[in-house]
Amino acid sequence: MNDEMVKELVETTGCDNFLATMLLRFTGGDVFGARRIIEAVPKDIYAVKLKFITQITGYYGACFFCFDRKENKINRFVAVISDDKEIGKIDLQIDWYEFEEQLYSYSKTKKIDGLKVDQLKNRLVSSEFISRVSPVLKPGQPVKNESFNNLIVDELYNVFADTNIAVKFDIEMTDAFKLNKNRDLRSEEAEVGESLNPEDVEKE
């Protein structure tokens, strides 16, 4: 076992150096075997990708967040909201980490409504929302699509006060290692809505 093997395992799985070292010792320096152990970890984190349009007020939005049932909290929230129809073209069928990256990329190059992003964030990371989403996203059970849709629409209504809101979503299962592997998408803990001032972004 050497530093290069540890580095390879960390980069390919998202585990930390300590765990990589321990697993490589356990497997006798077998990187593939160590990787298989990590890949066998249950995927118990919900990666939620969603898009919406408020038909009356004319907003388009896309949002990503993770619901960690073990920690009972919402992590990695990011959203883009504006009157730009291009948001509606963001593909929900791509992998969650590509979807998350697209939202960050959009937020760096386009104008977004930071106030609405903050309002939505505050609602979706709240203990009230977590208590409502927990019965809908339960391990070992199919996602209750209609219940989840209604839950999201209710939260959006409190932000936009629009009586005609259409929502589309896709939910993937992932694990802490995969999340850690893609952590470099966020350079700091500041949320996009707080760190990006729409007036400071040059309009295309």
Side-chain angles (χ1 to χ4, degrees), residues 33-97:
R35 188 182 302 131
R36 295 220 20 205
I37 292 174
I38 292 175
E39 290 173 349
V41 171
K43 292 179 169 54
D44 55 3
I45 298 175
Y46 294 84
V48 180
K49 305 169 290 182
L50 65 88
K51 297 191 302 184
F52 63 87
I53 177 174
T54 62
Q55 305 284 356
I56 297 175
T57 51
Y59 282 97
Y60 294 83
C63 175
F64 174 80
F65 63 87
C66 291
F67 175 47
D68 188 332
R69 288 196 62 93
K70 286 183 178 179
E71 295 187 8
N72 201 36
K73 65 188 297 186
I74 301 295
N75 295 315
R76 295 177 75 120
F77 173 90
V78 57
V80 293
I81 300 171
S82 76
D83 59 359
D84 183 8
K85 294 181 179 180
E86 289 297 312
I87 292 177
K89 297 180 181 179
I90 297 176
D91 187 5
L92 286 177
Q93 300 309 310
I94 59 179
D95 289 333
W96 67 261
Y97 47 88

Side-chain angles (χ1 to χ4, degrees), residues 97-138:
Y97 47 88
E98 294 179 10
F99 184 83
E100 181 187 38
E101 185 175 10
Q102 281 199 21
L103 298 194
Y104 275 107
S105 177
Y106 184 97
S107 71
K108 293 175 182 177
T109 58
K110 305 280 188 177
K111 292 184 69 172
I112 63 172
D113 190 324
L115 177 60
K116 293 297 184 186
V117 169
D118 284 346
Q119 290 174 340
L120 182 59
K121 172 205 166 187
N122 290 336
R123 296 203 65 85
L124 295 189
V125 302
S126 69
S127 57
E128 180 182 355
F129 176 76
I130 292 172
S131 67
R132 295 180 66 195
V133 78
S134 293
V136 179
L137 302 179
K138 301 181 71 172

Side-chain angles (χ1 to χ4, degrees), residues 156-173:
L156 291 173
Y157 175 77
N158 282 285
V159 174
F160 298 96
D162 193 307
T163 57
N164 192 355
I165 301 176
V167 174
K168 291 183 178 181
F169 62 87
D170 183 61
I171 301 175
E172 297 180 44
M173 301 302 298

